[in-house]
Amino acid sequence: MVPAHRPDTAPGPGRTGEPAPGAQWGRPPAAKPGVIPLRPLGMGEILDSAVKTLRAYWRTVLTITAAVAVLAQTAHTLVQRYLVPKTPALDPDATPAEELRQSLESARASLIGVGPDLLVTLVASTVSAALLAVVVSRAVLGRPITLGAAWREARPRLLPLLGLTLLLAALGAGIMLVGLLPGLLVGGAPGIVLAALGGFGALILNVWLMVRFSLASPP
């Protein structure tokens, strides 16, 4: 006797381990609460997310950029006016010895003026990067963010971030000095070759350190 056919055991989509028509096996789509899906991204997706962040948070990004630029330019102007010594004028009737002395004084004044400008630029870029990092983190989660909220969240991390930036800059300068110093001490043609080799090795080491510590910023 042939057993009766039961409808609940009849083969069909989803009962024999086969996918239903139109369904596909694979991983479920990644969650996307904000501008990017929460999964590893390709280069095109990273660039697209940057554009989406600018479009969605353009007011906050523009406010941060403009405020930092205005403060940095104001600091540059004050430093150049009150702290940096003026470059001495060269006397066209000076003797060769006096021309050499005047050229050295002019070069020294220029080097002194570069230091404060670099420091202001470094501080401005660090503050801007910290604030924009907060904006991007909110864009990934799809949450609104204002300039005040970004400042309150980034402020406790500014000093550690600035200290890390200065430490890496000092480390890079020290490595370059160590690479160039033997050639400078030897002098002549051998010194030039030695300085070139040492400078190239120091440059490679600095690039490695930059990549190594690229994610060392305080969270």
Side-chain angles (χ1 to χ4, degrees):
M1 180 175 180
V2 179
H5 181 72
R6 298 180 59 184
D8 56 345
T9 59
R15 296 183 179 178
T16 60
E18 297 179 358
Q24 296 181 354
W25 293 109
R27 297 180 179 178
K32 188 180 178 181
V35 295
I36 59 172
L38 302 182
R39 57 172 173 77
L41 303 176
M43 182 59 67
E45 292 174 315
I46 294 175
L47 296 177
D48 182 63
S49 65
V51 175
K52 289 180 179 178
T53 301
L54 290 176
R55 292 177 59 184
Y57 298 86
W58 66 271
R59 291 183 180 87
T60 306
V61 173
L62 180 61
T63 303
I64 290 173
T65 305
V68 173
V70 169
L71 292 176
Q73 188 59 44
T74 303
H76 276 297
T77 303
L78 294 176
V79 165
Q80 290 293 331
R81 184 169 182 177
Y82 296 106
L83 296 181
V84 177
K86 295 182 179 180
T87 303
L90 299 179
D91 185 6
D93 299 329
T95 62
E98 292 176 345
E99 288 181 356
L100 178 60
R101 180 181 57 80
Q102 292 175 1
S103 299
L104 292 177
E105 291 179 356
S106 177
R108 180 176 62 86
S110 299
L111 290 176
I112 293 175
V114 169
D117 285 341
L118 289 178
L119 182 60
V120 171
T121 302
L122 180 63
V123 173
S125 60
T126 301
V127 172
S128 178
L131 294 175
L132 292 178
V134 176
V135 175
V136 172
S137 67
R138 291 299 178 271
V140 171
L141 298 177
R143 298 176 180 176
I145 186 69
T146 62
L147 176 60
W151 171 254
R152 285 191 298 271
E153 185 166 344
R155 183 175 56 186
R157 300 172 175 85
L158 287 179
L159 286 180
L161 182 59
L162 182 60
L164 174 65
T165 305
L166 293 175
L167 179 61
L168 292 178
L171 183 61
I175 291 174
M176 187 62 66
L177 178 62
V178 170
L180 295 175
L181 188 59
L184 297 177
L185 293 177
V186 171
I192 295 176
V193 175
L194 186 60
L197 293 177
F200 182 71
L203 178 63
I204 293 177
L205 183 57
N206 276 331
V207 172
W208 180 82
L209 287 175
M210 181 178 63
V211 175
R212 179 71 174 176
F213 291 98
S214 59
L215 300 178
S217 301

